[in-house]
Amino acid sequence: MALEVFLAFLAASILISVSPGAGAVNTMSTGLRYGVKGALPAIMGLQLGYGVQVVLVGVGLGALLSQSQLAFELIKWFGVLYLVYLGYQKWTQPPLEMELLGGKTESSGKQFWQAAFVNLTNPKATVFLLALFPQFVNPNADNLVLQYSIMGSILIIVDVLVMIGYASLASGLSRWMKSEQHQKLQNRIFGGMFVAAAGLMASYSNKSA
């Protein structure tokens, strides 16, 4: 990959990761409650989902989703319902004891898989990758697997760094979480954000189908 192509792809990767979405909401919510270290399982879960999306697009299943309206709609609405479910969970979540805030969470496995499903069921990632990869892949080259591997690695590394930034930003607000009232308000805010993200996901269309 030429230097200018690499820099252009890196810039696109940063823009994609920085743009707010369900993954960012999930990371900020976890970072606010458990701190940056406690948010790492959720961040890694997002990368599993993202990595699977990269592989799907790389082997052509992403293209199938772009052509099959039924497949696209099934994945999209499953993701919408899942985000609404997460929003409801967050909205009704009781306040934590203060000594648990910023500490280690006992549900890291749950956070990991919850975050993984957030990205696995997000058609926004598929649409972005379908639009992004053709701009940088040389289809006539013999090293297509290597090209996709390099780009996928760049996307994931950038997303990890951006999500750590989101978690750090949210963790800096943890001092605000000194009362049950503030915790309840935080739960309402992030619950609403998950539902809003579901609304945005519901608006995605399969224009190429």
Side-chain angles (χ1 to χ4, degrees), residues 118-134:
V118 166
N119 264 355
L120 279 170
T121 60
N122 188 356
K124 177 182 176 182
T126 306
V127 171
F128 268 140
L129 293 174
L130 285 171
L132 184 68
F133 278 170

Side-chain angles (χ1 to χ4, degrees), residues 23 64-65 75 78 99 133 141 144 147-148 159 178 181:
L64 173 63
L65 288 178
I75 294 295
F78 180 80
E99 58 267 22
F133 278 170
L144 286 178
Q147 291 184 66
Y148 280 114
D159 200 61
K178 292 184 177 180
Q181 182 180 2

Side-chain angles (χ1 to χ4, degrees), residues 101-200:
L101 290 177
K104 293 183 179 180
T105 172
E106 296 180 353
S107 56
S108 58
K110 179 180 178 180
Q111 289 183 33
F112 177 89
W113 290 110
Q114 175 177 291
F117 277 111
V118 166
N119 264 355
L120 279 170
T121 60
N122 188 356
K124 177 182 176 182
T126 306
V127 171
F128 268 140
L129 293 174
L130 285 171
L132 184 68
F133 278 170
Q135 311 301 320
F136 298 95
V137 170
N138 179 3
N140 298 319
D142 295 328
N143 60 344
L144 286 178
V145 173
L146 179 61
Q147 291 184 66
Y148 280 114
S149 298
I150 292 173
M151 290 189 295
S153 298
I154 292 172
L155 284 168
I156 290 174
I157 291 172
V158 167
D159 200 61
V160 167
L161 295 176
V162 170
M163 291 303 114
I164 289 176
Y166 273 127
S168 300
L169 177 63
S171 179
L173 301 175
S174 60
R175 292 183 179 180
W176 185 72
M177 300 274 290
K178 292 184 177 180
S179 70
E180 289 190 3
Q181 182 180 2
H182 287 168
Q183 290 187 51
K184 288 180 180 179
L185 178 59
Q186 177 260 326
N187 289 342
R188 301 296 190 271
I189 290 173
F190 281 103
M193 290 174 70
F194 272 118
V195 174
L200 288 175

Side-chain angles (χ1 to χ4, degrees), residues 4-34:
E4 59 273 17
V5 176
F6 169 79
L7 293 176
F9 185 79
L10 179 62
S13 301
I14 294 173
L15 289 175
I16 290 172
S17 292
V18 170
S19 61
V25 173
N26 189 81
T27 299
M28 288 188 292
S29 174
T30 308
L32 180 59
R33 187 165 288 266
Y34 299 113

Side-chain angles (χ1 to χ4, degrees), residues 41-63:
I43 293 174
M44 292 301 103
L46 288 174
Q47 305 321 308
L48 173 63
Y50 205 7
V52 171
Q53 290 266 18
V54 170
V55 172
L56 290 177
V57 172
V59 300
L61 293 182

